[in-house]
Amino acid sequence: MMVDLIYQLFPYAIAFTIPLLITSLGGLFSERSGVINIGLEGLMLMGMFVGAFVISSVEALYPTAAVWIGLLAAAVIVALFALLHAFACVTLNANQVISGIAINMIAGAVTVYLARFFTGSGNVQIIRGMPRITIAYLSDIPILGQLLFTHTYASTWLILLILALATFLLYKTRFGLRLRACGEQPHAADSAGVNVYLMRYMAVLISGACAGLGGATFIVTLSGEFNGTAAGLGFLALAALIFGQWKPWGILGATFFFGFATTVANVSQVIPVLAQIPGIYLKTFPYVVTLLALILSSKSSQAPKAIGEPYDKGKR
Amino acid sequence: MKYIVEMENIRKSFPGVVACDEINFQVRKGEIHALLGENGAGKSTLMNVLFGLYQQDRGEIYLRGEKVNITNPNIANDLGIGMVHQHFKLVHNFTVTENIILGIEPVKALMVDTRSASSRIREISERYGLNVDPEAKIEDVSVGMQQRVEILKMLYRDAEILIFDEPTAVLTPQEVTELMKIMRGLIEEGKSIILITHKLKEIMAIADRCTVIRWGKVVGTVNVSDTNEEKLAEMMVGRKVLFDINKKEANPRGEVLRIESLSVLGSAGTHGLKNFSLRVKGGEIVGLAGVDGNGQAELVEAIIGLRRTDSGKIYLHGTDVTRLTTRQRINSGMAHIPDDRHKHGLILDYTVLENLILKNYYLEPYSRRGLINWDYVYTHAEQVIKDFDVRSGQGAEASARSLSGGNQQKAIVGREIDGNPDLLLAVQPTRGLDVGAIEYIHRRLLEQRDQGKAVFLISLELDEILDLSDRIAVIYNGELVGVVNAAETNENEIGLMMAGGRRGAVA
């Protein structure tokens, strides 16, 4: 009974985890370079709109490729949109929190305006989402095969691949070493000849691409429709970033925790064991745990040291 | 080739000030050349021009006889110039190797090749006797080691001309000796060193020649063997400097401050205070010596009530004040000259007038029926400004920001002493000040002592502690190492205690 339940829930939990994971990973790049990105919510919303709009426009022509075109377009366009945040924070030395709030507000307004303009209703629907596939051979592995490799989305594997790549990039390559230095001690990076401004621009750009991809992934796997809100997913990704202590594998754990807990809360009404618990407890559970985790981990926070500080060459 | 570095007629101005005014400066190959001057004399600006952080307005730079145009630090690096900044530029959670290779990382198969870099660093470290572990994380190693990492950074980049900006400010006397040994080793390997400092002793100990700068102009370049500390000081300040503070015999009275087994939790990364006990009597100056970050900040904040204590008691005149608020402590006779005058001493955008009443604005006669009595405040401020020789453009109405560092500090000292406290906590009271202002503040502290007040002096400048104190307490790792009479000790003994050695452990 319990085992069956887990088998049933798992694909949904993963599907919910993945958009959070990639968005949070985007936040990781930005914040490890020293730029706070609370605009993740807005960037994700933008990704949802671009993904839904592009897919709905091209799916008549390319029924199977449309979802991939939509994901790519969302990543590229939202990366460009994130340049606004980079310009404000890096070039103009603006307050990074305020700039993030502005990004959220602009995204909320622009997407709804454009959606109304193009469809009249404010909602953008897509007909075909990402198909679920079962991976040959791997799905035959006992337990794991059924949990991970049955009824899975190709996008899930793409994003897990990006996670592995991102870890490699951050910890093994020259780019990663320099990016992390910019977030910890930008003066050290500068005096070693690293262009702090350029690194931060690239990091915010990557963060936009990831969040855009996250938004579009949510559209093609879970919702199937853009309806003018990201419903706090971007903020949840931000919480996962902190909960995961600014580390890629920590983020994976945190987002999976959110994904699983949210899924449990969503389906609780139809599962007798869970239906006994009042819905409000299940729904608030992940957030309460996050608050507790943040309180407990605040003493030993691994936040990048220079986070939130505009880089000022003259200040030493 | 006689000179490895020649700077000709360098002029650099900032809005409102000329930091370097037609400066000529030459360094010979293989020498240690000291650059001496007071804070704000222009020596750091000059070196920042050489290192490419600033562009000169006029003048030329020649390296090895060739004219060069250094527009950024990368060019300086390529030309073989390296600099150890006063505030280290290290990433705290990176390893030594990662810090050193940052910016010029060797890459193998897309990955940063830390292994080969590590072995090269180990090799250089051994050659110069730096004793640095390439795998250690910066946050785990001592300040002295961090400085050696900075030196390694320059050597790894094959620098020939090494600039040290106030390198001894953060070191214990023993570490200073060690650093000097390293510098001599560097010279033997054919490097040239420029040493920025305002400490005369160090120049006499290690430099070959010395260029003195005052008010942005070169006063002269001398061979160190032909001069002495008095002459150098006179060149630096422009007048005779009294080295010996005219200090009368102390006349200690009853106990004013008693700290009993005080323990305080430290902020992350620094040591807290562990079981610390100390007494300060009226009419004496007790100095607290120690390397930065060994619990001094926690102690001071606990005494004045800015930080919660963990256990232990603080008594003022025999009364337990451990649970009192800061305001209550001030009113019962404590005063505090904080170490960071910009952060904790003044509100920079307030006027001098407003800054002078920060602690007592709500009391009669500064306030009446809840309203500030500006007439009285103004008269009072004028008096303090006069008594403490605070020089500002618009008198009491000047914003604190517009004052020079020395005058800001005088204003703080004035405010604190003016309340006629029984206990004066003076934390780094002369940090960053010029010789004139230092003399003045030292005189004022002694004056307080002679009036029977208790003075607790916390300083990182060992000379200051030795000159002023009657008794010296040494703190290491949050614990009291010992208390010695100033008359019966010397720099060497205190230095060993600052590194944690018990008194008498090393003869």
Side-chain angles (χ1 to χ4, degrees), chain A residues 207-237:
Chain A
S207 134
C210 288
L213 190 57
T217 307
F218 186 76
I219 293 287
V220 298
T221 57
L222 286 167
S223 80
E225 144 183 284
F226 167 82
N227 60 8
T229 168
L233 281 176
F235 290 122
L236 207 55

Side-chain angles (χ1 to χ4, degrees), chain B residues 303-366:
Chain B
I303 296 175
I304 193 74
L306 293 171
R307 187 184 280 264
R308 245 196 10 214
T309 57
D310 210 23
S311 64
K313 298 269 181 217
I314 301 161
Y315 296 93
L316 187 67
H317 286 304
T319 319
D320 183 1
V321 297
T322 322
R323 294 275 159 253
L324 296 189
T325 63
T326 300
R327 179 175 275 180
Q328 287 167 328
R329 294 185 207 206
I330 291 170
N331 290 343
S332 46
M334 282 191 191
H336 173 211
I337 300 170
D339 69 334
D340 188 333
R341 57 180 162 269
H342 291 166
K343 255 193 208 152
H344 303 127
L346 295 168
I347 300 177
L348 287 174
D349 292 311
Y350 275 20
T351 59
V352 174
L353 179 77
E354 290 162 328
N355 271 295
L356 286 177
I357 55 164
L358 283 182
K359 290 180 6 177
N360 46 18
Y361 63 91
Y362 63 97
L363 293 172
E364 294 258 6
Y366 305 98

Side-chain angles (χ1 to χ4, degrees), chain B residues 67-114:
Chain B
K67 190 174 162 184
V68 290
N69 189 11
I70 307 173
T71 49
N72 71 51
N74 290 343
I75 296 179
N77 276 329
D78 295 343
L79 291 168
I81 303 173
M83 185 158 174
V84 175
H85 300 270
Q86 196 174 356
H87 302 286
F88 303 150
K89 294 182 185 285
L90 298 170
V91 182
H92 70 113
N93 58 359
F94 279 17
T95 64
V96 167
T97 301
E98 287 171 331
N99 266 291
I100 291 171
I101 61 178
L102 184 64
I104 50 164
E105 308 86 351
V107 170
K108 211 159 101 185
L110 286 177
M111 286 186 277
V112 175
D113 185 8
T114 40

Side-chain angles (χ1 to χ4, degrees), chain B residues 311-492:
Chain B
S311 64
K313 298 269 181 217
I314 301 161
Y315 296 93
L316 187 67
H317 286 304
T319 319
D320 183 1
V321 297
T322 322
R323 294 275 159 253
L324 296 189
T325 63
T326 300
R327 179 175 275 180
Q328 287 167 328
R329 294 185 207 206
I330 291 170
N331 290 343
S332 46
M334 282 191 191
H336 173 211
I337 300 170
D339 69 334
D340 188 333
R341 57 180 162 269
H342 291 166
K343 255 193 208 152
H344 303 127
L346 295 168
I347 300 177
L348 287 174
D349 292 311
Y350 275 20
T351 59
V352 174
L353 179 77
E354 290 162 328
N355 271 295
L356 286 177
I357 55 164
L358 283 182
K359 290 180 6 177
N360 46 18
Y361 63 91
Y362 63 97
L363 293 172
E364 294 258 6
Y366 305 98
S367 272
R368 220 170 278 152
R369 284 179 229 102
L371 294 177
I372 293 179
N373 179 2
W374 287 110
D375 287 339
Y376 181 82
V377 168
Y378 193 85
T379 332
H380 167 256
E382 294 279 281
Q383 191 59 44
V384 175
I385 286 172
K386 210 176 114 210
D387 289 351
F388 290 86
D389 191 30
V390 182
R391 289 179 206 169
S392 75
Q394 303 123 317
E397 306 280 2
S399 81
R401 196 184 289 282
S402 68
L403 268 55
S404 71
N407 283 304
Q408 288 176 341
Q409 192 71 3
K410 284 186 203 166
I412 295 174
V413 171
R415 177 180 73 207
E416 300 302 326
I417 293 182
D418 182 59
N420 200 21
D422 301 319
L423 171 67
L424 182 61
L425 293 172
V427 191
Q428 298 253 67
T430 57
R431 182 161 114 172
L433 301 187
D434 59 53
V435 176
I438 291 176
E439 258 184 309
Y440 181 87
I441 285 168
H442 284 175
R443 248 195 1 252
R444 283 291 182 162
L445 293 179
L446 283 169
E447 198 179 280
Q448 287 296 300
R449 178 196 80 161
D450 294 340
Q451 287 172 15
K453 307 295 169 60
V455 179
F456 190 21
L457 171 71
I458 294 101
S459 177
L460 302 177
E461 298 276 344
L462 193 48
D463 288 338
E464 179 167 81
I465 298 263
L466 285 164
D467 285 349
L468 290 178
S469 311
D470 301 306
R471 291 190 299 138
I472 299 173
V474 183
I475 191 170
Y476 172 74
N477 213 353
E479 290 176 85
L480 182 71
V481 182
V483 183
V484 292
N485 283 328
E488 298 158 13
T489 189
N490 55 42
E491 191 178 320
N492 200 30

